[in-house]
Amino acid sequence: MKKRNLAAIFLGVTAAAGVGESVFFYRRAMKRSKKTKIKRTMKMAGMDWSKYEDFVAERKAHLLEQPREDVYVMSEDGLTLHANYFPQGEEKKVVVCFHGYSSESMKEYLAISDYYLRNGYSLLLVDERAHGESDGEYIGFGCLDRQDALCWLDWLIRHCGEDVEILMHGTSMGGSTVLMASGLELPPQVKGIISDCGFTSAKEILTHVMHTIYHLPAFPAIPITNIINKLRGGYGIDECNAAREVRKATVPILMIHGDADTFVPLAMCEEIYENIASPKQKLIVEGAGHIESYYKDTEGYEQALDEFIESLGN
């Protein structure tokens, strides 16, 4: 009898610990970022960005010399979303950019903005929900953000006119956002999609993080995270998977990834690429870590963009 009681107590304590661990992981991963979260994310990605500080500072100074507007739209679920808009010329070529997890629009696109400005593109730098100046408590992991992307596309078309030509460019979680959006019915003004180190799904990237960063099993944290997020965040963490969504894509897609990325493994890029139904191109940058491809091989990255955009007939 005593042995049965001890066993029951042990199982109860173990279960409680598992639930507690899962709730902690959920709050850490799925809720809106605090200022410390971006530093933690950068550390998990294994990147030292100090070596690119001068390069980024020069590009940032040039970007901030451009005319800028704060733009706001309302999401389908009632959140006020923010973006920084840099109009160029007649505003008939625009790239809308989606940043990564725990970041914001004016951090990730400071360097590459120079490429688009040189090529006559206006830039719409989006703060994804629960990031930057956008509302929201729960992170969308691309699943909710892809619906928000439609709101931004609608704003661009109304603002710039029906003859505007749009590129969608995303990095990391933003890369997943644009890939997941490729499975939706996009307006014809969207001519191409660029995804830099996007992951397949929230479930798969969180499982990868559990194994490689926290050195913990995915069970029970991932199933419990899924349940909590359905109740609070409004979506299941495997509800959207980029590798599934691109099977419905009609817009050409350029995939970019670093082969030294340990945060979002290269295997995810390869899986997504194999499933793309639309015209596709791929650039794998040797020795590049997470979101490092443009910095590691700026010339090669820009050449890939040149060739991709030229293939669109823009």
Side-chain angles (χ1 to χ4, degrees):
M1 186 70 175
K2 289 182 179 180
K3 288 184 178 180
R4 286 199 296 269
N5 288 340
L6 287 172
I9 291 170
F10 174 77
L11 290 172
V13 170
T14 302
V19 171
E21 172 194 295
S22 301
V23 171
F24 171 78
F25 179 75
Y26 178 80
R27 290 174 178 169
R28 197 173 179 90
M30 306 300 291
K31 293 197 72 174
R32 187 181 185 97
S33 173
K34 296 179 180 179
K35 290 183 179 180
T36 56
K37 183 175 279 190
I38 188 167
K39 293 181 180 179
R40 186 169 69 240
T41 303
M42 289 172 66
K43 184 178 179 181
M44 289 192 296
M47 290 300 304
D48 175 17
W49 290 103
S50 61
K51 56 189 173 182
Y52 300 119
E53 283 180 354
D54 292 343
F55 178 64
V56 173
E58 181 182 345
R59 295 291 182 91
K60 178 180 180 179
H62 179 58
L63 177 63
L64 294 181
E65 290 173 353
Q66 311 304 312
R68 186 192 71 84
E69 303 171 15
D70 288 301
V71 180
Y72 299 89
V73 298
M74 188 72 70
S75 71
E76 288 186 350
D77 54 348
L79 300 179
T80 299
L81 305 176
H82 169 264
N84 292 282
Y85 182 56
F86 295 84
Q88 297 290 305
E90 297 181 355
E91 303 177 61
K92 294 305 178 185
K93 296 195 303 182
V94 183
V95 57
V96 52
C97 300
F98 298 86
H99 60 76
Y101 177 81
S102 80
S103 188
E104 55 188 66
S105 65
M106 286 296 287
K107 289 182 178 177
E108 245 163 67
Y109 288 92
L110 294 174
I112 200 171
S113 63
D114 187 73
Y115 170 84
Y116 285 115
L117 293 174
R118 280 187 275 115
N119 284 278
Y121 280 87
S122 299
L123 292 96
L124 184 68
L125 307 184
V126 170
D127 283 335
E128 298 199 50
R129 61 171 56 217
H131 292 79
E133 296 182 38
S134 290
D135 288 348
E137 184 176 0
Y138 299 100
I139 297 173
F141 273 92
C143 188
L144 300 182
D145 307 288
R146 68 176 189 156
Q147 299 294 338
D148 298 339
L150 296 180
C151 299
W152 287 117
L153 295 174
D154 180 66
W155 180 86
L156 276 174
I157 294 166
R158 286 187 286 107
H159 177 78
C160 299
E162 294 286 335
D163 57 342
V164 66
E165 296 181 342
I166 300 171
L167 296 177
M168 298 173 69
H169 190 141
T171 53
S172 193
M173 188 180 77
S176 298
T177 296
V178 297
L179 292 171
M180 292 175 183
S182 75
L184 302 175
E185 187 175 345
L186 297 174
Q189 287 83 0
V190 178
K191 304 302 181 183
I193 289 172
I194 301 106
S195 174
D196 186 339
C197 60
F199 51 76
T200 48
S201 72
K203 178 183 178 181
E204 292 182 359
I205 193 62
L206 291 174
T207 298
H208 177 72
V209 167
M210 287 292 292
H211 289 160
T212 61
I213 305 298
Y214 292 99
H215 306 292
L216 292 170
F219 184 87
I222 297 302
I224 292 176
T225 293
N226 186 52
I227 293 169
I228 297 173
N229 203 57
K230 283 183 178 179
L231 295 172
R232 295 185 179 179
Y235 68 98
I237 60 173
D238 195 38
E239 186 174 320
C240 298
N241 186 304
R244 294 197 301 261
E245 293 303 317
V246 296
R247 296 171 189 167
K248 299 177 282 186
T250 57
V251 175
I253 295 174
L254 170 62
M255 296 287 294
I256 301 172
H257 216 101
D259 71 358
D261 190 338
T262 58
F263 195 57
V264 177
L266 178 60
M268 288 192 180
C269 171
E270 301 291 2
E271 179 186 355
I272 294 167
Y273 187 78
E274 288 302 314
N275 281 279
I276 295 173
S278 58
K280 57 187 178 181
Q281 296 180 33
K282 179 171 62 174
L283 171 68
I284 305 301
V285 178
E286 184 177 353
H290 191 58
I291 319 181
E292 193 186 14
S293 293
Y294 184 70
Y295 304 88
K296 195 77 173 179
D297 185 7
T298 304
E299 183 179 351
Y301 197 115
E302 292 190 352
Q303 182 179 345
L305 288 176
D306 285 343
E307 293 173 358
F308 179 66
I309 293 171
E310 184 178 354
S311 74
L312 304 177
N314 294 349

